[in-house]
Amino acid sequence: MTRALILVDVQKDFCEGGSLGVDGGAAVAADLSDHMDEQSGTYDYVVATQDWHVDPGPHFSDTPDYVDSWPVHCVAGTKGAEFHPDLDTEGIDAVFRKGQYEAAYSGFEGVKAPDDEVPSGERKLAGALPETDEPLLTLDDWLREHEVEEVVLAGLATDHCVRATALDALQAGYSVSLLTTLTRGVDPERTADTLDELEAAGVELLR
């Protein structure tokens, strides 16, 4: 069975010191690097998602409720949107950027970044993805092109973008598992409920 590791939003703004930092986010970045090194033969592909906001409307707020609205974060082309420096991006095969003009929690709402920006990290793209006559490749498109049947998720944050990506992966028909020690949530209680929800939905929790 062809297997892909999906790294969800391991970005500077979602780690300590970022505009929307999650406790333990930097440790997740470093631990994921170790995991990919130690388990390099386990995955056929490694892909990553990025929040990549241009003008996401009410998703950004000066008075956020931390449920549907949030402080400004991961603005396209800024340092905060880059992958955390402790995440080893060398082995990433493709990056999918989401949320240019909407909230877009799920990686399956993202479209493939240009090949010359994979791995990302330099401020090469200062706004929306470039206009093209070619159809934009989604995460689902890419996984199907590469005959992936099983996806393993890790990253940030458990109770938001990891949750949405996992549920969409299930709906799309993939076998889905979650590396629970390599993800962190925003709210501890919501995170615990999310893990129960994902397990009940059919996600295998790898502890």
Side-chain angles (χ1 to χ4, degrees):
M1 183 178 288
T2 306
R3 194 179 198 215
L5 174 64
I6 302 177
L7 310 176
V8 179
D9 298 359
V10 188
Q11 296 168 263
K12 290 181 179 178
D13 268 350
F14 293 140
C15 297
E16 294 87 342
S19 63
L20 197 52
V22 175
D23 288 342
V28 165
D31 291 345
L32 272 170
S33 296
D34 291 340
H35 176 79
M36 287 187 285
D37 183 53
E38 294 165 2
Q39 303 291 328
S40 59
T42 303
Y43 304 107
D44 299 287
Y45 301 103
V46 177
V47 300
T49 68
Q50 285 177 300
D51 257 13
W52 199 254
H53 296 306
V54 176
D55 181 11
H59 186 60
F60 284 173
S61 174
D62 292 331
T63 55
D65 61 15
Y66 295 91
V67 177
D68 297 309
S69 60
W70 306 88
V72 174
H73 61 276
C74 297
V75 173
T78 65
K79 289 288 187 182
E82 294 174 2
F83 292 119
H84 191 277
D86 290 341
L87 179 69
D88 183 359
T89 59
E90 185 176 354
I92 293 175
D93 296 295
V95 173
F96 296 85
R97 291 172 172 164
K98 57 189 174 65
Q100 291 183 77
Y101 300 104
E102 58 189 352
Y105 292 96
S106 170
F108 283 83
E109 298 176 79
V111 295
K112 189 175 179 293
D115 286 337
D116 64 357
E117 296 189 23
V118 180
S120 186
E122 297 181 11
R123 297 178 65 181
K124 295 180 180 178
L125 189 59
L129 294 170
E131 292 186 8
T132 174
D133 293 332
E134 297 295 323
L136 296 174
L137 199 67
T138 67
L139 175 56
D140 188 42
D141 293 335
W142 192 94
L143 293 173
R144 293 189 188 284
E145 281 188 6
H146 291 80
E147 300 182 342
V148 172
E149 299 170 275
E150 178 182 0
V151 297
V152 180
L153 273 65
L156 306 170
T158 315
D159 44 341
H160 293 281
C161 293
V162 172
R163 171 187 177 273
T165 303
L167 292 174
D168 277 358
L170 283 173
Q171 186 172 18
Y174 297 97
S175 173
V176 184
S177 55
L178 174 65
L179 298 169
T180 59
T181 61
L182 296 176
T183 183
R184 297 289 186 280
V186 174
D187 176 81
E189 183 175 347
R190 182 183 169 100
T191 296
D193 290 343
T194 294
L195 293 176
D196 289 342
E197 176 192 12
L198 293 179
E199 187 171 36
V203 175
E204 181 182 4
L205 302 184
L206 304 176
R207 304 182 188 276

